[in-house]
Amino acid sequence: MLPTTSRSRSSPSSSRANPMFLQYFRRIVKWQQMDVEYTFWQMLNLCTSPKVVYQHTKYHKQTKNQWARDDPAFIVICSLLLVVATLAYCATYDHSASHAVVVVVSVFVTHFLITGAVIATCCWFLTNSYLREEAPNSHVVEQRVEWLYSFDVHCNSFFPMFVLLYVVHYFLSPLLITHGFIALLLSNLLFMVGASYYHYLNFLGYDVLPFLERTTFFLYPIGIVIVMSPIMILCGFNPSRYFMNMYFSQRL
């Protein structure tokens, strides 16, 4: 039997990368082609039953022959929700419209795009370089993690954290930014849960890929978060006051 692929040749994932990105970005400007209902279903289940979402990822691979989404609806809706949430903070705590625009752009670009791109790139490099299972022989098709899939995993992990640290935090912020032990404790607990759940979903995203091994590595940051949380409480560090002061110092 002839081999299906050769390691000396470029991998199928790399050869499809450019067309996949072009098609993806074309669909961003075509709202009618986005599956909004399915996106909201994913968002709900990421907060309640995340394993169900990644079970559907396997179905997507079987039908579309790629792990990454071909529908940008999740990123678009998540971006819009982040902008709306930031505008709500600006309406409550900001002092000028021009500064509010700066805050919205800064939060969207740094919190979502740049941070997401950096984390996705690090996970993409780590998984492809160190966590892939060795192929038993040269006749097996080599599989690699797509960069766009790594960014999808970040977006999936980001959304429940967004609900906790942007939406729930907004309604609790009058209490969380006050001085005192209760605010200090609640703020650190909220950030600990949000960060831990982010890393748990990050783990699920890579654990579902059958060609990766030792994916429990992605759970290690949860231990660091749990250890650091009581240390920050003992040091009197309130993350809510820190981040709110970063953007709205004149109103606190």
Side-chain angles (χ1 to χ4, degrees):
M1 180 181 293
L2 294 175
T4 56
T5 187
S6 172
R7 286 184 177 272
S8 61
R9 300 175 184 175
S10 60
S11 64
S13 60
S14 61
S15 64
R16 293 197 311 265
N18 289 337
M20 184 173 66
F21 272 102
L22 290 175
Q23 180 184 8
Y24 192 85
F25 285 115
R26 285 196 200 103
R27 294 188 65 179
I28 288 180
V29 296
K30 297 180 179 180
W31 181 266
Q32 65 274 16
Q33 294 186 5
M34 299 183 192
D35 193 341
V36 177
E37 183 178 353
Y38 178 64
T39 297
F40 282 118
W41 177 88
Q42 286 183 308
M43 289 178 167
L44 175 62
N45 279 276
L46 284 169
C47 298
T48 57
S49 305
K51 290 184 179 180
V52 175
V53 176
Y54 283 112
Q55 188 63 39
H56 278 251
T57 300
K58 293 182 180 180
Y59 303 149
H60 183 80
K61 172 63 176 177
Q62 294 169 0
T63 57
K64 300 296 182 68
N65 196 30
Q66 67 180 50
W67 292 101
R69 294 186 183 100
D70 58 350
D71 184 357
F74 194 99
I75 293 178
V76 172
I77 293 175
C78 194
S79 301
L80 291 175
L81 292 175
L82 179 60
V83 169
V84 171
T86 308
L87 286 172
Y89 278 94
C90 292
T92 305
Y93 295 103
D94 212 343
H95 56 279
S96 71
S98 59
H99 184 258
V101 173
V102 173
V103 171
V104 171
V105 174
S106 175
V107 168
F108 174 69
V109 172
T110 58
H111 291 203
F112 185 67
L113 290 183
I114 295 180
T115 303
V118 169
I119 293 176
T121 302
C122 291
C123 293
W124 168 78
F125 174 79
L126 179 66
T127 52
N128 285 320
S129 300
Y130 301 105
L131 301 183
R132 284 191 303 145
E133 291 182 342
E134 290 294 332
N137 55 66
S138 60
H139 303 287
V140 177
V141 177
E142 184 181 25
Q143 296 193 75
R144 300 180 65 86
V145 178
E146 306 148 0
W147 186 90
L148 194 56
Y149 178 77
S150 292
F151 194 75
D152 279 346
V153 172
H154 159 71
C155 293
N156 290 346
S157 306
F158 180 86
F159 180 74
M161 186 175 68
F162 159 79
V163 173
L164 282 173
L165 300 186
Y166 291 81
V167 180
V168 174
H169 184 278
Y170 172 79
F171 293 103
L172 295 178
S173 59
L175 170 63
L176 297 177
I177 62 176
T178 60
H179 296 280
F181 180 75
I182 298 298
L184 176 67
L185 178 64
L186 290 178
S187 178
N188 276 281
L189 286 176
L190 189 63
F191 274 78
M192 181 188 72
V193 173
S196 297
Y197 199 66
Y198 175 92
H199 289 293
Y200 172 67
L201 291 187
N202 203 46
F203 157 73
L204 290 182
Y206 295 103
D207 189 57
V208 75
L209 302 181
F211 55 91
L212 295 183
E213 57 184 2
R214 304 187 303 276
T215 53
T216 51
F217 171 83
F218 292 105
L219 292 175
Y220 294 165
I222 298 178
I224 298 175
V225 171
I226 293 174
V227 170
M228 289 300 298
S229 186
I231 295 175
M232 290 193 295
I233 293 174
L234 291 174
C235 293
F237 178 76
N238 185 327
S240 295
R241 285 193 61 84
Y242 174 80
F243 286 107
M244 295 291 283
N245 272 309
M246 184 184 298
Y247 294 106
F248 312 113
S249 58
Q250 297 186 14
R251 293 293 301 270
L252 300 182

